[in-house]
Amino acid sequence: MIKSESFFYLLIIAGTSLPVYEGLVEPTITIKWIAFQLIILIGAILFIGRNIKKKILCNVDAIYICITLAIFYITIRAFIASPHHISFIYNFISFWLIYSFFIINNNPLSNLKINKILLLTGVILSVWGISHFIKNNTFVTGSFDNPAGFSISLSCIFPFVCELIQKTASKRMKILYYIGAFIIFSSVLASQSRTGIIACTAVLSFFIFRHKTITQSLLICLLLVVAIFYKSDSTNGRIFIYKTSISMINEKTILCGTGSRSFKRDYMNFQAKVFQKDKDSKYAMLASNVFHPFNEYLLVLIEYGLLGFIILAIPIILLFTSKEKKEEAELCLLVIMICSSFSYPFRYPLVSFLLAYSLSSFRMKRVYKMETSIYCIKYFIIIICCYGIYNIFSDAFSQYTWKKQIRNVSFGYFEKAYLNYKDLYNKMSYNPYFLFNYSSVLYDNMLYDESLEIVRKCTKYLNDYDIEMLLADNNWKLKNYPEAERHYLKASYMCPARFIPLFKLYELYKEQKRTDEARLLGKEILEKPIKVYSSTIENIKQKVQSDNIQDRGVNITKP
């Protein structure tokens, strides 16, 4: 029994932190979520199948009930927002299943095994990240898409490694654990992720100053101050994102929010309005595409409203009143709460697994023993799991096929890819990134009407600078000049530091022979400050300069 459990834990921890598969469009994160879901769903089927004729005992308390209700609420909201995106909905179902399994199978020996596996995984991930940095002199990312995901995952592992050091009597093992902890902490420092460094240092300070609460508090405050003033441009950018995100909340959305995954659809429109009103904003040079408010609490308030925020807050409040808890679980929750304040930890499945593992360590004084022996409930869960496995495999195959079509297009086999894109459209019409890519491929192959139709559908799920540019380009090709102008302006307001929207608008004015407007815009382009130098910007400025239509009023040459 213990061996099979250890293998299960090894699979899920390694599966949510280490895999990278270039056969998918997003090779670092998608494969980890697929592993997270499949391992848990298959594990649930095997567990229930082994106990199909036995009673399953579950010690239920108020914390478990509230967490279950919160997951149910979020799952329903996710289904309402995107009923066809089944794999996303199963993120929450998988989380509830693994959390319930930890509640049912609360075994100290299993916990020790999990902590050791976490240490081993953390060391492998750290060595991977540092070695990649040494070889390529790039950011420390390991198997993740950016340093934030790398450092957040290691920071969540760190409390369990520290706990192994505290509770190990063997000097030899303690030395090995110290080495592992040092490697993990060093790699977090090397990532230069402020959020990860703050979270890891908070954990370390707890174990060093275990009984000195004032010292811990002062150290954490000092870290926060350093974080605010380190990388000041980045900090100012975050402050702007927070302000704009808060402006999205109004009397109509405060109660129930704007819906699951709506932030990606709405935020950039609000950002554009801010810069349209204040063109000289000090934040203009810092603005870029934004898909997350860099604060999970703010995201919940925007998408799920005050009601959703309260439903999720109740279990957290109950945790503080729990009778039974573990230090490493408390610290892991502290890490997640710190990371949730400055980043997006729930983008990564390992964090979801460690959250479920940590939450299962908290117990209220009053516990209700619940026995599940009804066959229909067990079979219902098995059916739900089987349905999820089918959909996850189907979605994974669609992602794999999509990546193949991207390669086909890059090699010039558009006609072959076009038929496959049409087929994929019926299966992936809910995926905004697929829709954008499909529309871009159609545009590149001069199918402007189809491209415009697809990208318009994409705006129901996602809207950003790139989508506005694609909308503008399609409308220009179709001679819808007013629409093209509107979208170029909107793209420019979304990301004021970008030159391409203004240059394309400049070319559009020239084509329409709007001389005065082209002259003014050309002057604006030449005087526009450069955020990051590139050959593209140099070429744009040279082209505008060579047109010679500035204040002298020389006739415009055709583009």
Side-chain angles (χ1 to χ4, degrees):
M1 177 74 175
I2 294 295
K3 287 183 179 180
S4 61
E5 283 180 13
S6 298
F7 182 67
F8 169 73
Y9 294 137
L10 177 62
L11 274 180
I12 194 168
I13 292 170
T16 55
S17 56
L18 299 177
V20 174
Y21 179 52
E22 295 295 337
L24 298 175
V25 176
E26 202 300 301
T28 60
I29 305 301
T30 304
I31 188 64
K32 293 179 176 65
W33 277 112
I34 291 171
F36 175 75
Q37 294 170 337
L38 287 179
I39 293 167
I40 290 173
L41 293 176
I42 293 170
I45 292 171
L46 294 174
F47 177 76
I48 294 172
R50 190 169 56 189
N51 295 280
I52 198 75
K53 295 182 179 179
K54 300 177 185 177
K55 291 182 178 180
I56 299 176
L57 181 64
C58 183
N59 293 323
V60 174
D61 59 7
I63 295 174
Y64 179 83
I65 293 169
C66 289
I67 289 173
T68 299
L69 290 174
I71 294 169
F72 179 76
Y73 175 78
I74 293 173
T75 304
I76 294 297
R77 291 293 304 273
F79 180 77
I80 291 170
S82 187
H84 302 294
H85 200 172
I86 302 298
S87 59
F88 174 68
I89 294 167
Y90 268 86
N91 290 343
F92 306 112
I93 295 173
S94 300
F95 175 84
W96 179 80
L97 286 171
I98 190 65
Y99 171 57
S100 298
F101 177 75
F102 282 130
I103 293 293
I104 293 167
N105 190 52
N106 189 13
N107 188 332
L109 188 57
S110 296
N111 293 343
L112 181 61
K113 295 275 186 183
I114 292 172
N115 292 354
K116 289 181 178 179
I117 294 169
L118 286 171
L119 169 63
L120 177 62
T121 304
V123 170
I124 293 171
L125 191 58
S126 299
V127 172
W128 184 346
I130 293 172
S131 63
H132 189 266
F133 172 74
I134 293 171
K135 285 180 183 178
N136 302 310
N137 195 27
T138 56
F139 293 110
V140 180
T141 59
S143 65
F144 291 87
D145 56 340
N146 59 44
F150 175 80
S151 64
I152 287 169
S153 298
L154 288 177
S155 298
C156 290
I157 289 173
F158 196 60
F160 302 101
V161 177
C162 292
E163 188 64 19
L164 280 174
I165 295 171
Q166 292 290 325
K167 292 188 176 178
T168 301
S170 169
K171 289 185 178 180
R172 183 179 297 175
M173 293 305 297
K174 196 179 279 282
I175 291 171
L176 289 175
Y177 294 155
Y178 268 120
I179 292 170
F182 175 77
I183 292 171
I184 291 171
F185 188 73
S186 299
S187 64
V188 172
L189 291 176
S191 73
Q192 298 183 46
S193 169
R194 291 171 296 173
T195 303
I197 292 170
I198 291 171
C200 246
T201 308
V203 173
L204 194 62
S205 69
F206 176 85
F207 282 101
I208 294 174
F209 309 109
R210 184 180 289 266
H211 303 295
K212 299 178 182 178
T213 309
I214 296 175
T215 307
Q216 292 172 15
S217 301
L218 289 173
L219 183 58
I220 292 172
C221 289
L222 179 63
L223 283 169
L224 290 172
V225 171
V226 170
I228 290 170
F229 290 102
Y230 176 62
K231 296 183 180 178
S232 58
D233 282 349
S234 175
T235 302
N236 289 332
R238 295 280 179 94
I239 291 169
F240 170 72
I241 292 169
Y242 294 152
K243 287 180 178 179
T244 308
S245 298
I246 291 169
S247 72
M248 296 171 70
I249 303 168
N250 55 53
E251 63 274 6
K252 293 181 180 179
T253 62
I254 185 63
L255 184 60
C256 295
T258 53
S260 179
R261 310 187 88 186
S262 61
F263 183 88
K264 293 188 290 186
R265 179 194 68 208
D266 300 333
Y267 174 84
M268 291 300 289
N269 293 325
F270 279 84
Q271 181 164 296
K273 288 176 183 176
V274 170
F275 292 122
Q276 188 175 4
K277 290 178 181 177
D278 185 7
K279 295 179 182 179
D280 298 322
S281 171
K282 65 178 181 179
Y283 300 113
M285 293 297 289
L286 305 173
S288 187
N289 274 337
V290 175
F291 305 110
H292 193 283
F294 294 98
N295 187 297
E296 297 285 7
Y297 312 109
L298 190 53
L299 182 67
V300 169
L301 199 57
I302 292 167
E303 295 191 343
Y304 299 100
L306 197 57
L307 180 61
F309 189 86
I310 292 169
I311 289 172
L312 290 170
I314 289 172
I316 297 173
I317 294 169
L318 289 175
L319 294 177
F320 292 103
T321 62
S322 60
K323 177 188 175 184
E324 188 180 323
K325 60 185 83 171
K326 295 177 181 176
E327 280 184 354
E328 64 270 32
E330 284 185 286
L331 289 172
C332 183
L333 286 180
L334 175 64
V335 168
I336 294 172
M337 290 174 75
I338 289 173
C339 294
S340 295
S341 301
F342 306 106
S343 193
Y344 35 79
F346 293 108
R347 173 175 164 80
Y348 308 103
L350 180 63
V351 176
S352 293
F353 171 79
L354 292 175
L355 176 63
Y357 177 45
S358 300
L359 288 174
S360 66
S361 301
F362 292 83
R363 293 296 177 90
M364 300 292 288
K365 186 175 182 180
R366 192 171 183 178
V367 177
Y368 307 95
K369 292 186 177 181
M370 186 179 74
E371 291 183 352
T372 305
S373 58
I374 304 171
Y375 288 136
C376 64
I377 296 176
K378 294 178 180 178
Y379 283 120
F380 175 73
I381 294 174
I382 289 174
I383 291 169
I384 292 292
C385 291
C386 289
Y387 180 71
I389 291 169
Y390 168 76
N391 277 281
I392 292 160
F393 270 116
S394 177
D395 187 61
F397 183 73
S398 295
Q399 295 263 355
Y400 173 76
T401 307
W402 175 22
K403 181 61 179 282
K404 286 180 67 177
Q405 305 326 304
I406 292 174
R407 287 174 179 162
N408 284 336
V409 170
S410 67
F411 292 135
Y413 305 129
F414 169 71
E415 290 182 4
K416 180 181 177 181
Y418 180 55
L419 296 174
N420 290 320
Y421 265 111
K422 275 194 165 184
D423 183 53
L424 283 170
Y425 178 70
N426 296 324
K427 302 172 184 176
M428 301 184 70
S429 59
Y430 60 83
N431 187 324
Y433 302 104
F434 167 77
L435 294 174
F436 175 74
N437 173 248
Y438 183 21
S439 179
S440 299
V441 169
L442 292 170
Y443 174 81
D444 291 339
N445 289 274
M446 296 182 289
L447 297 171
Y448 305 121
D449 284 307
E450 286 185 63
S451 176
L452 186 58
E453 181 185 350
I454 299 298
V455 74
R456 279 175 176 165
K457 184 165 185 178
C458 182
T459 59
K460 295 179 181 178
Y461 308 101
L462 171 71
N463 199 12
D464 64 5
Y465 166 86
D466 299 302
I467 289 170
E468 287 296 326
M469 288 297 293
L470 187 55
L471 283 164
D473 290 342
N474 274 298
N475 278 291
W476 187 359
K477 293 295 183 181
L478 294 169
K479 306 298 182 183
N480 299 327
Y481 294 129
E483 280 295 293
E485 180 181 359
R486 184 172 71 85
H487 288 297
Y488 281 137
L489 283 171
K490 191 172 181 182
S492 180
Y493 289 135
M494 282 181 171
C495 300
R498 306 282 179 94
F499 277 77
I500 293 176
L502 294 179
F503 178 68
K504 288 203 171 186
L505 187 58
Y506 168 79
E507 294 288 322
L508 181 67
Y509 287 158
K510 285 168 61 181
E511 184 173 302
Q512 295 177 275
K513 301 188 185 303
R514 295 161 65 177
T515 310
D516 292 337
E517 289 162 290
R519 182 183 298 115
L520 289 172
L521 193 55
K523 184 179 179 182
E524 182 181 340
I525 290 169
L526 291 175
E527 294 176 352
K528 187 177 177 65
I530 299 173
K531 180 181 179 181
V532 179
Y533 176 82
S534 71
S535 58
T536 301
I537 295 175
E538 183 180 5
N539 291 336
I540 286 172
K541 292 208 172 198
Q542 285 179 356
K543 176 66 171 63
V544 174
Q545 185 69 53
S546 66
D547 283 343
N548 199 28
I549 64 166
Q550 279 65 59
D551 294 327
R552 284 167 284 180
V554 178
N555 290 333
I556 301 172
T557 57
K558 285 197 173 184

